[in-house]
Amino acid sequence: MASTADIKNGVVLSIDGQLWSVIEFQHVKPGKGGAFVRTKLKNVVSGKVVDRTYNAGAKIDIENVDRRDFTYLYTDGDGFVFMDMDDFDQITVGAATVGDAKNFLLENQQVTIALNNGNPLYIDLPASVILEVTYTEPGLQGDRSSAGTKPATLETGYEIQVPLFLESGTKVKVDTRTGDYLGREK
């Protein structure tokens, strides 16, 4: 058990069986009354942000979260297999934990996985990835009815909107947070 004096940005707390990361904190000592610590917490799994206040000296549970680099190897049923870059151990991460990251995963891609007691919590992808367009309709000259974009299927099977001039086989840069087209890659 730790106390509120141990709260720092980035520390992960266990509250009611869930893990919360400290985004920001402020130690407040009013002129009248006892001191307290005001925190802004982000749920590690869902991303929900809440404000929480603790009395100074209150006991809290600090959890150990280890962020390590992994390489994506392959999909095995509904699990995704990753290899630790340090000791070459392999772990299988469930589809629910991988979430939307599956739309941007290619074999041998580097990712960061947050682990708590050996259990994967979430996957951090790079901000953008380069993927090949496997199928898109040919664009017609002068066609602006759809604001200059058309659907395109990427090599992972994910579909995004791209400009009309792009053709199948083109490599594009895609934002992994929003799934938006960022540009062509040469």
Side-chain angles (χ1 to χ4, degrees):
M1 286 295 258
S3 72
T4 54
D6 299 317
I7 292 179
K8 295 177 181 54
N9 288 344
V11 168
V12 177
L13 307 176
S14 176
I15 303 170
D16 300 329
Q18 293 186 340
L19 298 177
W20 299 81
S21 177
V22 177
I23 298 173
E24 59 186 56
F25 73 99
Q26 179 181 22
H27 184 83
V28 180
K29 187 166 189 224
K32 189 177 192 182
F36 59 91
V37 177
R38 187 177 294 135
T39 62
K40 185 176 278 192
L41 305 172
K42 180 179 179 181
N43 189 305
V44 171
V45 177
S46 69
K48 179 180 176 183
V49 177
V50 297
D51 293 323
R52 187 135 185 191
T53 304
Y54 295 95
N55 290 328
K59 299 295 181 199
I60 56 173
D61 284 333
I62 293 182
E63 287 288 330
N64 182 25
V65 174
D66 186 22
R67 295 172 50 88
R68 298 199 324 233
D69 291 331
F70 284 82
T71 299
Y72 171 62
L73 297 178
Y74 58 90
T75 304
D76 183 23
D78 64 344
F80 293 78
V81 179
F82 295 88
M83 181 175 62
D84 190 331
M85 296 306 297
D86 296 330
D87 57 14
F88 304 108
D89 283 345
Q90 293 184 7
I91 64 167
T92 301
V93 180
T97 304
V98 173
D100 289 338
K102 72 178 181 292
N103 298 325
F104 309 105
L105 278 176
L106 288 176
E107 290 182 6
N108 299 320
Q109 184 175 354
Q110 305 293 318
V111 299
T112 301
I113 299 179
L115 300 165
N116 174 251
N117 298 327
N119 298 324
L121 300 173
Y122 60 88
I123 293 178
D124 273 343
L125 290 172
S128 63
V129 293
I130 297 178
L131 298 170
E132 184 176 333
V133 175
T134 55
Y135 177 76
T136 186
E137 294 288 332
L140 299 174
Q141 186 66 26
D143 179 15
R144 294 285 180 253
S145 63
S146 59
T149 62
K150 61 182 178 180
T153 305
L154 301 174
E155 58 187 306
T156 59
Y158 187 62
E159 191 171 286
I160 64 169
Q161 292 293 317
V162 298
L164 291 172
F165 60 82
L166 284 182
E167 299 171 357
S168 295
T170 306
K171 291 205 178 275
V172 295
K173 190 179 218 179
V174 181
D175 187 327
T176 58
R177 295 163 298 207
T178 62
D180 292 340
Y181 165 83
L182 296 176
R184 273 191 297 189
E185 197 60 31
K186 295 176 174 58

